[in-house]
Amino acid sequence: MDMRIPPAPAALRRERLSLWRRTAAALRRQRLLLLGLAVLAPAVALLVDELQSSRLQARRLAALGDELSFGTAPGVSEAIRFPGSGPYDTRLGYAALPQLLDRLTLRDYRIAEQARLSPALLGLADRGLFLPYREKSVAGLMLLDRRGAPLYAARYPLRTYAHFDAVPPLLVESLLFIENRGLLDGPVTRNPVLDWSRLSRAALDQLLSVADSRRSTPGGSTLATQIEKYRHSPGGRTDSAREKLRQMASASIRAYLDGEDTQQTRQRLVVDYLNTVPLAARAGHGEVHGIGDGLWAWYGRDFQEINRLLGAADDSDTETLAMKAQAYKEALSLMIAQRRPSYYLLQGRSELEALTQSHLRLLASAGIVPPALRDAALAQPLRMPPPPQAAVPSFVAMKAPSALRSQLSALFDVPRLYDLDRLDLSVTSTFDAELQARVSQALRQLRDPAQARAQGLYGHRLLRDGDDPGKLIVSFTLFERGADRNRLLVQADNVDQPFDLNQGARLDLGSTAKLRTLISYLEVVTELHGRYAGLSAEALRAVERRPRDTLSAWALDYLASAADRSLERMLEAAMDRRYSADPWTQFYTGGGLHRFENFDREDDDRVLSVRESFRRSVNLPFIRLMRDLVHHYMYQPEGAAARLLKDAEDPLRAEYLTRFADQEGREFLTRFYRRYRGKTAEEMQELLLQSVTPGPRRLAAAILSIAPGIGVEPFSELMRGRLAQAPTEAELRALHARYQPDHLSLADRGFLAGVHPLELWLVAYLRAHPGATLSDLVAASRDERQAVYAWLFRTGRKQAQDTRILTLLETEAFTEIAQRWRRLGYPFEAVTPSYAASIGASGDRPWALAELMGIIVNDGVRLPSVRVERLHFAEGTPYETVLDRVPQAAERVLAPEVAQVVRHALVDVVDQGTARRLKGAYLHADGAPLTVGGKTGTGDHRYETFARGGQLVTSRVVNRSATLVFMIGDRHFGSLTAYVAGADAARYSFTSALPVQLLRSLSDELQPLFEAAE
């Protein structure tokens, strides 16, 4: 029997082969899987470890941090990047620095030092990341004096934690539970930016919200990314995934700037967040940043007291527990409110209460808040009182800082001091803080009658018994001359108001104007010397003498006979020219006849030299001196005065007369507008008709001029109501027909009514156009202003024409004088066109007079007056920039010979004149007297009303002032003004002797400065 197995069919063989292959493949996959697991296990372990410890990130980012550096170097930096418009960068001024620097370099400042960024830091900036550096939580404007002593500091936020240990642990644990659990836990290298559980939960919520739009989607931000967001992201918001990634990347790099160990960084994040989290804004404070300022602005709570309560360990006392619970609940509410602070502060207070209650229960269930504290806090409602008011500093103590802040505001074009104070900026000023404080204190004490008497302020021409020194405003400035600038050392006064007497008002400073007039006079003499000194005596005698140009005639005569033609000698001779002090002469000036008085009646019969008149401040010689100056400009060879007045046919006369008509017409319109402004048609009609002398023709002309369309009946009723004996009906109809406006010119109607024609026109126009402004009236009255003066253009009126032309020529002369005064610092565009400008009628400012004194002290060279020496922006940041002033080229504005003569005249005022109380008041270190000079002035500013014929009807005192502009030694100068405002001024009669005595009384405060300067 054959026992061999027959061969398997082909199908069976194929099945067995396939099974073998599958088995082999399975074995290979198993081996690969085992091999893969063997390879991946360390990588997975490494990934898990990295998620928990951030070890690899720490190593890489810490190494990168070593390359991220910056520092300052002299000059402008080419390796600097400025930030975008994030809230933090905008508030501190970093974002605006490029524009600020451009503005400052156009205003005489230059970049002395600026930050340089390392290549790695520049690379991060160019990739769009926020620059990583250790940012300031507290910053603001700092004003320093010339020695670096503080004058003013604005630090925001005001209430902050200095370090982590200063924060009550209860506050830390509550914050982390709400915002960033586990931040302080984990390995030392952990990245505080990434909270994977929070991030994954936020991502899941975002995905689910696609299907359910009503689903809440809380963010996954840690404290680190939140700080980046509200500091640097546009608008303080996250508006895209890209912006979120930028926040996270920037925060991660910032976290490792101190190395791989982030423990201190994580603690600092807690402190920074508590100190700077935005909490809306509130009246009396502005923007609120940080829990400390939030507790004060929202709840009116004292930060130190809150921290004391939250740090208390013993909760057994019921009253203490209640206070702690209230403090904790308020702090907790701010942590919650940071998501929608404006809403919760204003209309969402009930919702904030509910959320805070809910969080209290959650915190208690998590074991963070003890049950007793929870229950006590639940029982305490959140109460938001009215916004607390910040303490207002004394304006007396703030004069120097206020002056600096005002200048910086204008310099930076930052109108709000609120914004200025929040700039990260340190300013080195020229002020002397110690001297400023001494002088301010001395001026403040003068408001006490006993102190004022002790300083010698009572007596002849000073305060009288019964005068209240508390009404007396005293303002003082002191400058120090340097090589290329005048530095303001002191700007002080004793008025506790934001009022700057030195620069903020146009004051009648009386005879200080004689100083400007004297300089103008000596400048003319200098010009005449330059024009004629080179001519021979014969040539000088042959020069045509112009009538009324007394100064040119004197110069020609002097030079023709002088043995010494030097400018110095001619100026001294000019000081010896003599003028009458006669007060009885009338002067035609300013468009009318005027008389002037001397202060001391004993001078009335004297003839005085210019030198003596300046020394003793006598008025009438300076009135006559100003007349000579005006005539000199009016009758210059190239001038039109002589020709216009001589030739009645000169076509230029018509141009001058047209200008006069326009100018005087404007003045009348302005006066009438002030009278009728704001009144109804009936009130205007009644007011005008009161000034019309009752009579049928006068009344008819007036009524029909201001009410041209009035009918016969209402016209007749008005006439009957104002006339004692009413005309008949026929007479009234005849008057109504005869005096219609289209039958008579405006000038004729004014003549008939006895009212200025432009007053009639203005009332009619205002009745027809109730809302018209003065500009509207001026524009609409162009033809009427000319028509009213048509009589003036008739050739038979030459004398009247000459009078008007002289008025305009005088005005042009004063325009020339004003230009010269402005070149020497006069603060106003125009000078009052009257000889009275020489004795103070044009007003002045103490600051401007002090600058004029600086020109004189510096031999006729103008130096810039400086308060700000150095600006230091963003110290310790990658944007740090230091600017200082560009040295200015000195500008000669006055001949040195003139300055020398004026300086001697000023010293003469102290040695023998109106300021002699100052003689010997200030000394050199060796006890020898310092050279002191000055000019005094008394201003009695009042509004007066005169009747026809010149009789005084009313006199209302506006203010009284007395000023001294002075120099002490060859480097220091300034001004001192005593001032009483309003109706109180009528009770005071002090003169410029008062500021002279005041400066003497300040010798104890000022003397150390002069000794130190030697």
Side-chain angles (χ1 to χ4, degrees), residues 17-36:
L17 180 60
S18 174
L19 178 62
W20 178 83
R21 286 174 177 169
R22 287 198 302 272
T23 302
L27 289 173
R28 285 197 301 274
R29 285 196 297 271
Q30 186 176 19
R31 284 196 299 272
L32 287 172
L33 177 62
L34 292 173
L35 181 62

Side-chain angles (χ1 to χ4, degrees), residues 442 444-458:
R444 188 163 44 237
Q445 289 176 345
L446 294 176
R447 301 179 76 86
D448 176 8
Q451 287 289 334
R453 194 172 294 277
Q455 296 300 326
L457 301 190
Y458 284 83

Side-chain angles (χ1 to χ4, degrees), residues 874-888:
E875 183 176 5
T877 76
Y879 324 115
E880 184 169 2
T881 304
V882 180
L883 298 100
D884 58 18
R885 286 192 64 88
V886 178
Q888 297 295 296

Side-chain angles (χ1 to χ4, degrees), residues 886-909:
V886 178
Q888 297 295 296
E891 179 189 6
R892 176 160 297 285
V893 293
L894 199 62
E897 296 86 354
V898 172
Q900 182 178 1
V901 170
V902 174
R903 192 162 55 247
H904 290 163
L906 292 167
V907 173
D908 193 31
V909 170

Side-chain angles (χ1 to χ4, degrees), residues 582 585-589 592-596 620 623-624 627 835:
D582 160 31
T585 302
Q586 288 187 318
F587 297 86
Y588 186 84
T589 182
L593 285 172
H594 299 273
R595 281 182 55 188
F596 303 98
L620 266 300
I623 293 292
R624 291 181 167 91
R627 181 180 61 183
Y835 302 157

Side-chain angles (χ1 to χ4, degrees), residues 129-290:
L129 296 186
F130 308 132
L131 285 184
Y133 66 99
R134 295 169 189 84
E135 296 175 332
K136 304 173 183 180
S137 291
V138 178
L141 179 66
M142 174 74 75
L143 303 180
L144 308 173
D145 85 339
R146 59 179 181 163
R147 299 185 184 90
L151 278 170
Y152 173 81
R155 316 303 288 165
Y156 297 97
L158 296 173
R159 303 157 187 87
T160 58
Y161 294 107
H163 48 77
F164 182 77
D165 292 336
V167 186
L170 179 60
L171 216 56
V172 174
E173 294 172 11
S174 301
L175 172 65
L176 297 183
F177 181 82
I178 296 169
E179 296 293 345
N180 203 164
R181 299 178 193 180
L183 172 66
L184 302 180
D185 304 330
V188 297
T189 55
R190 180 184 168 193
N191 185 347
V193 177
L194 302 174
D195 184 334
W196 293 108
S197 61
R198 188 184 181 99
L199 192 62
S200 59
R201 187 168 61 252
L204 178 61
D205 286 331
Q206 290 287 343
L207 288 173
L208 294 175
S209 70
V210 175
D212 181 6
S213 60
R214 295 170 298 176
R215 182 181 180 85
S216 174
T217 56
S221 297
T222 57
L223 292 186
T225 51
Q226 286 190 59
I227 292 172
E228 296 291 329
K229 175 187 70 176
Y230 68 65
R231 280 184 168 174
H232 304 298
S233 291
R237 295 186 298 271
T238 305
D239 56 10
S240 66
R242 180 185 180 88
E243 186 62 29
K244 173 62 72 175
L245 289 174
R246 179 161 74 148
Q247 295 164 6
M248 294 174 66
S250 300
S252 295
I253 296 171
R254 199 186 304 273
Y256 291 99
L257 288 176
D258 291 331
E260 297 183 31
D261 188 339
T262 63
Q263 292 179 102
Q264 290 188 356
T265 297
R266 285 180 267 170
Q267 291 182 352
R268 189 165 57 245
L269 286 170
V270 172
V271 177
D272 286 350
Y273 184 87
L274 289 172
N275 284 340
T276 63
V277 60
L279 293 170
R282 201 155 198 215
H285 184 279
E287 290 180 285
V288 182
H289 292 92

Side-chain angles (χ1 to χ4, degrees), residues 144-149 151 428-433 435 480 487 489 869 971-972 1009:
L144 308 173
D145 85 339
R146 59 179 181 163
R147 299 185 184 90
L151 278 170
T428 301
S429 73
T430 63
F431 284 100
D432 185 318
L435 184 59
E480 182 176 81
R487 295 179 172 87
L489 299 183
E869 295 269 36
R971 291 181 56 195
H972 296 92
L1009 172 69

